[in-house]
Every structure is written in structure tokens, then in C-alpha cells.
Amino acid sequence: MPEKSLIDSFKRMIEENNITDLIDRYLYGGLNEKELNLFEEKLRSDEIFRQEVEAQKAVIKSIQNNAKEDLRNFIKGISLEEKPKNKNISLLVKLSVAATILILISIGIVLKDDIFKGDKPIISNIDTTKIIHDTLIQTIPENIKHIANIIPKDTTYNKLNQSENKIYKTIVVPVKEIGGNGFGFAEETTTIDYIFVRYIKSTIYKNNYSYFNDTLSIYTDNKKLKEIKIQYNRSKKIYYFIIDKKKYVLVNSEKIHSL
Amino acid sequence: MTKKYQHLDENGIIEAIKNNDRDVFTQVYKKYYNVVKYFIIQNSGKPEDALDIYQEGMITVYENICNRTYAKQEGASLKTYIYSVCRYKWMNELRNRKKIPTVINDFEDKIFIEETTTEPMPYEQALNETLRQMGEKCREILKLFYYHKYTMEQIAIKLNYKSGNVAKSKKESCMKEAKRIAREIINRFI
């Protein structure tokens, strides 16, 4: 039998017009053991109370159904297609482009003299990808730099056109966070990200890769596609991928590297 | 892409979604569709399957952010969670279609997904429609509390009540009226 004080407090809860709260607490697991026993006892013995609980359950479900339907309609209204770029470039834009080209030509004429004088011009052909590449090289400990092809040096700019490329397959590969220092094949833990991997048949590149815009492209002429794993080392903040038991650092660049 | 979205970190995005910020939700929705689409297409699905699964998946993600199930994840990003929920739904769908899932790069993730699917009661549709006719304030307060999981204080701020207690008293009276309607409808079906 429930204690008299609990029966009193239960009565008081109902008298104080907190019946909705009480039923909410029951439905969402917010009653303590004694309260729960008392509540269930009341459910068994009081038909009107049982109907009250059933009605509240039905109302809550109905409210959730309606809210879910509203959200579904809202989601269906979201367009997932990219807006086509406006091909009608305004006259103002055309004039701006023309003016910019003229300014650049003028700068080029001025700088040309400097170049032939032997001084390093202010505007130089800086290869930003190489800077990132070199920075990454510096972050790799000396004792593991011998691991083949961590960052290949023979890079080529991606100048393939559509006719030279044929995508075999695009897959989504989970990125696993790894322990250890990241260069050993340490144990993988949780999935923290996903990256697209495209296998591309190319007339120029047979065993290469590039990583750009969240997509890893593997250039191959072999129809049997090689399995790829992608890992992330949180302490070094570096992504790697593994193919043919070799490990490569993912550097965001349009360059094509050798595998 | 909105400026607000661009300046939010992952926690900010989650908070914004929790606060029912439709702009941020829209940006998230647009951003991760392709990942899910590729996964489904490469695993026996069609583009229309991808869209259906993604829409339902994003509803589950939204609900799990609101009911704090998402907060139980440790270390997994929102992108990973969205992908995992949709992947789970697609695997279920394939099983329902009696197709054996052949997943490339398959993996097992420990993700928390809360989904309750119960058989619809015979009175359910009538009740849904009738409760849609309730006063706007009542519908809003009950929706914010029972679906979006707002606290009474948050509801008071959003709906311009003086305090959480005032909001709570309003919710109580709205629920009383809703239950009266529900009892009438349920009795018609008994």
C-alpha cells in the first residue's frame, strides 16, 4: 500500500491543477519510484483517470504528428538544385573586367624592366600549392620521411579535359580518427567525416591522385578498383589516405600527384 | 549561403537548429545532400530513393537534436551523424524490400537514433485534423513544448509571455481543451 503522505501529495497534485504536468512526468519517465507506483495504482483503480492519461497521450502524439508534417512540408520546399549561373553579364561587369585587364597589362610593362634588371619583382609566380606542400613536409618527423610517397614531389597541374576523363565510380568513404602519432598504421576509432572518392579512367594519368573540393580522385587504368581507407590524425590535424598499403597526406590542391 | 550560417561553428549550428532556425537548417540540409545521395545510389538506390531517405533522415536528425539524443554522440560531427542516420534508414529500407545490402566500404558506427514508430490508432487522423483547428497560440505552445522540446522559459520568451509560469498556465489550459476534444473523438471510434 502506498504511504498516506504520498496519497495526500498525489491528491494535492491533482487538486492543484497539475494533472497535465503529472501525466507528462509519467510519460517522459520523470516520476520517482514511489510516485510511479502510486500513479500506476491510480491508473488501475480509476477509469476516469486512465481515460485522462490516454487522452493526453493521444493529444501529444497528434501534436507531434502535425509538427512533423509541417517540418516535412517545409523540407520538401527546399530546393536542392544549384541556381544556374547568369550568363548575361552586365555591361558594367564587362567594363570592369576590361579596365582590370588594362591595369594588369600596365603593371606588367612596368615590372618587365625590373625583371631584366635582376631584382625580384613584386609580383612573382608564387606557387601556393608548393608552399602548403613544403609546410607539410616540414611537419613530418625526420625518421619517417623515408616512407614512400608520403607527399610525392612530381606534381602536375590538373589540365585534363572531359574527353580525357571517364569516371568509373564515385563512392563515399568514412574518415576514421586514428590514435598514435598518425604515421604508424595505428588503430582506427570513430568515423568523424566522409569524403567522396572518384575512380577516374584517364588517357594521361594511369596511377595518380588529386584531392580537391572534398573529393579524392584516383586516376587508374585498372578496372579492378583498389580499396581506399581515409584517416585523420587529430593531434596533427592531418588527413591521410591509404591505398596499396601506402599512406599519402591529403593536401587540398588541383595538382595531380603520383601514387 | 547566409552570412549567419557561415559564421557559426558546429555547436552554433546545433544551437540554431535547436532554436528552430529555419535558415540554418536549410543551409545544413543543402550542404550534406550529395554525400547521402552518392551513398544511396552506389548501394542499389535511385535518385528519388535518395531524396525520400534524406528528407526523412533530416526529420529524424532534427528531432534527435531537439530531444538531446544527438548530444549523446561523442566526437562525431553533424555531417557524420546525418550520414549515419540516412545510412541506417536506407539499410532498413533495403531489408524491407528484401534486398541484401551490399555496402562498399561498410562500417559499424555506434550512433544513437531515437525513433518511435507505433501503429496509428483509428481516431488519429480525425484528431490530427481537429487539433489543427485549435487557436494559433494554443497550437504553437503545445508544439513548442511537445515537439521542439522548448522549456517553459524559452516558450515565454518566444511567445512574449511575462514568465515561464504564465506560459505553463497557458499550456495547461490549452492541454485541457485539447484533451476534451480528444476524448470526444476517441469516444466516437469506440
Side-chain angles (χ1 to χ4, degrees):
Chain A
M1 275 293 284
E3 292 168 30
K4 191 176 179 303
S5 61
L6 272 175
I7 296 171
D8 289 344
S9 78
F10 190 84
K11 275 184 184 167
R12 208 164 42 245
M13 275 196 280
I14 295 175
E15 282 163 10
E16 284 171 359
N17 205 20
N18 280 335
I19 189 77
T20 304
D21 272 0
L22 189 67
I23 298 172
D24 279 344
R25 282 172 60 206
Y26 168 70
L27 296 175
Y28 291 100
L31 295 180
N32 63 37
E33 201 181 334
K34 282 183 180 175
E35 288 171 328
L36 185 64
N37 288 338
L38 199 61
F39 193 99
E40 285 175 343
E41 177 62 32
K42 182 86 176 159
L43 269 181
R44 278 190 291 271
S45 60
D46 187 338
E47 177 58 21
I48 293 171
F49 183 69
R50 196 191 62 75
Q51 284 179 16
E52 180 83 8
V53 174
E54 285 306 310
Q56 188 156 324
K57 268 167 80 175
V59 168
I60 292 170
K61 194 174 178 203
S62 183
I63 287 160
Q64 290 172 339
N65 285 344
N66 285 342
K68 190 182 256 195
E69 196 54 35
D70 291 345
L71 181 62
R72 187 174 286 118
N73 288 334
F74 169 75
I75 284 176
K76 283 182 177 170
I78 301 173
S79 168
L80 287 166
E81 284 172 19
E82 291 294 318
K83 281 183 187 169
K85 285 177 186 166
N86 190 1
K87 286 179 182 172
N88 300 321
I89 301 165
S90 71
L91 182 65
L92 187 65
V93 174
K94 283 178 186 169
L95 286 172
S96 306
V97 171
T100 309
I101 291 168
L102 276 173
I103 292 166
L104 287 173
I105 290 169
S106 311
I107 293 170
I109 291 165
V110 173
L111 287 175
K112 195 181 164 200
D113 289 342
D114 289 341
I115 293 164
F116 287 105
K117 279 176 195 164
D119 295 323
K120 199 174 183 183
I122 300 162
I123 300 170
S124 61
N125 185 22
I126 298 169
D127 181 350
T128 49
T129 314
K130 182 157 189 319
I131 291 172
I132 297 166
H133 173 273
D134 291 346
T135 312
L136 270 165
I137 286 274
Q138 285 163 20
T139 64
I140 301 169
E142 281 299 321
N143 59 339
I144 48 87
K145 273 187 185 171
H146 67 275
I147 295 174
N149 295 322
I150 285 178
I151 303 178
K153 287 175 184 168
D154 54 334
T155 54
T156 317
Y157 282 103
N158 183 1
K159 285 177 181 163
L160 294 177
N161 62 39
Q162 287 295 321
S163 63
E164 292 162 333
N165 279 332
K166 188 188 169 198
I167 296 173
Y168 278 136
K169 187 172 236 175
T170 303
I171 58 171
V172 184
V173 179
V175 179
K176 298 283 185 180
E177 189 173 340
I178 51 167
N181 63 14
F183 282 94
F185 287 79
E187 192 185 342
E188 291 177 346
T189 56
T190 50
T191 299
I192 53 121
D193 206 341
Y194 295 89
I195 285 176
F196 288 129
V197 176
R198 295 186 307 173
Y199 291 93
I200 297 172
K201 185 181 181 181
S202 159
T203 52
I204 301 175
Y205 299 105
K206 310 288 181 193
N207 202 30
N208 300 72
Y209 76 94
S210 69
Y211 177 66
F212 189 62
N213 273 351
D214 240 8
T215 303
L216 173 63
S217 299
I218 303 293
Y219 299 87
T220 177
D221 56 354
N222 191 343
K223 280 194 175 176
K224 194 179 174 192
L225 304 177
K226 292 167 183 171
E227 194 196 348
I228 284 185
K229 281 186 175 182
I230 303 180
Q231 297 178 337
Y232 176 68
N233 185 305
R234 191 173 291 280
S235 59
K236 292 184 184 295
K237 295 183 178 172
I238 297 177
Y239 286 84
Y240 314 93
F241 74 95
I242 300 165
I243 187 167
D244 274 349
K245 296 179 183 174
K246 287 178 187 167
K247 200 163 192 170
Y248 303 85
V249 175
L250 284 177
V251 183
N252 199 41
S253 153
E254 285 184 85
K255 281 183 177 180
I256 296 181
H257 311 271
S258 295
L259 279 171
Chain B
M1 200 172 282
T2 60
K3 266 189 176 178
K4 185 182 174 187
Y5 177 76
Q6 282 175 325
H7 290 102
L8 288 175
D9 62 7
E10 183 106 340
N11 289 336
I13 290 169
I14 298 296
E15 275 309 305
I17 292 174
K18 216 184 279 177
N19 290 328
N20 202 13
D21 187 321
R22 292 284 166 104
D23 286 342
V24 171
F25 182 84
T26 300
Q27 296 306 326
V28 170
Y29 182 80
K30 286 181 174 181
K31 190 173 179 185
Y32 299 121
Y33 175 58
N34 279 340
V35 182
V36 173
K37 187 172 127 185
Y38 275 103
F39 168 75
I40 289 173
I41 289 174
Q42 83 186 54
N43 287 286
S44 322
K46 293 176 181 167
E48 51 269 32
D49 294 323
L51 189 59
D52 288 346
I53 290 290
Y54 190 59
Q55 284 173 349
E56 290 306 306
M58 285 302 287
I59 290 172
T60 303
V61 168
Y62 175 79
E63 289 174 349
N64 285 347
I65 286 174
C66 291
N67 68 23
R68 314 283 189 271
T69 306
Y70 174 79
K72 292 176 194 165
Q73 315 300 313
E74 283 177 7
S77 67
L78 181 60
K79 178 182 170 187
T80 302
Y81 191 67
I82 291 170
Y83 183 88
S84 304
V85 168
C86 294
R87 178 185 176 279
Y88 167 84
K89 281 182 179 285
W90 181 237
M91 291 296 109
N92 272 350
E93 180 61 27
L94 285 180
R95 278 183 208 108
N96 290 340
R97 293 183 191 179
K98 309 269 186 253
K99 283 188 181 178
I100 301 160
T102 50
V103 183
I104 308 161
N105 294 298
D106 202 4
F107 59 96
E108 284 301 321
D109 270 340
K110 283 176 186 167
I111 57 156
F112 295 90
I113 301 172
E114 196 169 292
E115 268 193 314
T116 45
T117 45
T118 49
E119 283 293 305
M121 303 298 275
Y123 56 77
E124 214 165 281
Q125 198 176 346
L127 184 58
N128 292 350
E129 282 165 17
T130 311
L131 289 185
R132 275 197 183 276
Q133 313 301 318
M134 276 183 93
E136 197 185 332
K137 276 265 175 182
C138 269
R139 268 190 291 128
E140 193 63 16
I141 202 167
L142 294 176
K143 185 164 94 170
L144 287 173
F145 186 79
Y146 289 108
Y147 188 70
H148 299 291
K149 311 289 180 188
Y150 277 39
T151 63
M152 281 303 161
E153 284 66 31
Q154 287 172 317
I155 291 175
I157 292 166
K158 186 160 176 82
L159 300 182
N160 289 324
Y161 290 113
K162 278 183 184 169
S163 67
N165 277 338
V166 176
K168 190 174 174 181
S169 149
K170 178 73 180 164
K171 179 208 144 203
E172 177 78 19
S173 64
C174 290
M175 182 49 105
K176 258 188 179 174
E177 174 60 10
K179 279 195 280 193
R180 188 190 61 74
I181 296 168
R183 275 193 296 267
E184 271 181 25
I185 292 174
I186 292 169
N187 285 338
R188 266 189 252 153
F189 283 83
I190 291 174

